[in-house]
Amino acid sequence: HVKIGVCLKYWMMNLSKKTIREFTLFVLTSGFAALVNILSRIFFSTFTAYEWAVFLAYIVGMLTAYFLSRQFVFESSGQSVKREMTGFIFINIIAVIQVWGVSVALYKWFFPLLGWTFEPALLAHICGVVSPIFTSYFGHKYISFRKCSEWVIEFICKWALAQYIGYWQQLVWIF
């Protein structure tokens, strides 16, 4: 616990005002997108299974987050919307795995183990949606909205997507 606190304190002391402002705006816009995500999940849950509702709601929240981040958080990258969206989707593929895993693990296993009965689906989903805040911020800052040559972003996204597809192919083969 002490080492984590020291690292966070060092990191916070060395942040520029621009980065603090940017992260604060990211948290605010992400919070709004998370609210859209959660309300969408409640709506989708009326006609589909919880697991699918979490996934569909994540897509709605992701699109909301992209347009808010592009408009209010990050400076123009100079890249096309298609390139930014490619990076954004890549980061969100990682985040949706994290959100889904945390949400479902809490809802299906951890909360029943604790005997938690007050709104377990809602609480599990809120915890899941909040879980990737730092990974998403840095991913979007340095990949989605990064100012660099288009080929670098394209290479990183294609390589990462190939790794992701390869992982799922291996997983399907195992089962």
Side-chain angles (χ1 to χ4, degrees):
H1 295 99
V2 174
K3 288 182 182 180
I4 292 171
V6 170
C7 290
L8 280 173
K9 184 177 178 183
Y10 178 79
W11 180 70
M12 292 297 286
M13 288 173 41
N14 290 302
L15 290 176
S16 67
K17 287 182 181 181
K18 178 183 173 227
T19 300
I20 293 169
R21 179 183 175 281
E22 189 177 78
F23 183 74
T24 302
L25 287 172
F26 180 79
V27 169
L28 292 173
T29 58
S30 296
F32 180 76
L35 178 63
V36 168
N37 182 327
I38 289 164
L39 293 175
S40 298
R41 199 273 309 155
I42 292 168
F43 169 72
F44 290 134
S45 289
T46 62
F47 58 88
T48 191
Y50 178 78
E51 294 85 353
W52 280 107
V54 169
F55 181 75
L56 293 171
Y58 193 86
I59 293 171
V60 173
M62 179 183 69
L63 291 172
T64 303
Y66 171 75
F67 289 109
L68 291 175
S69 292
R70 190 169 199 264
Q71 183 69 33
F72 299 111
V73 179
F74 299 105
E75 293 178 3
S76 174
S77 68
Q79 305 297 324
S80 67
V81 171
K82 180 182 173 185
R83 296 285 186 225
E84 285 180 352
M85 186 60 89
T86 301
F88 203 86
I89 289 170
F90 164 66
I91 297 303
N92 279 281
I93 286 171
I94 294 167
V96 76
I97 293 167
Q98 187 175 353
V99 168
W100 190 86
V102 168
S103 298
V104 172
L106 289 173
Y107 180 65
K108 295 282 187 177
W109 299 297
F110 191 68
F111 289 164
L113 183 68
L114 294 178
W116 185 274
T117 58
F118 180 74
E119 296 292 340
L122 180 62
L123 183 59
H125 191 215
I126 290 170
C127 291
V129 168
V130 171
S131 66
I133 190 74
F134 290 107
T135 53
S136 292
Y137 171 73
F138 287 110
H140 295 315
K141 180 177 178 72
Y142 294 111
I143 294 176
S144 306
F145 298 103
R146 182 180 178 157
K147 295 178 186 174
C148 68
S149 301
E150 288 190 25
W151 72 269
V152 173
I153 292 173
E154 186 174 346
F155 173 80
I156 290 169
C157 291
K158 284 182 179 178
W159 176 84
L161 188 58
Q163 299 303 310
Y164 178 75
I165 290 169
Y167 168 76
W168 284 106
Q169 286 173 343
Q170 290 173 4
L171 192 62
V172 168
W173 181 79
I174 290 170
F175 292 105

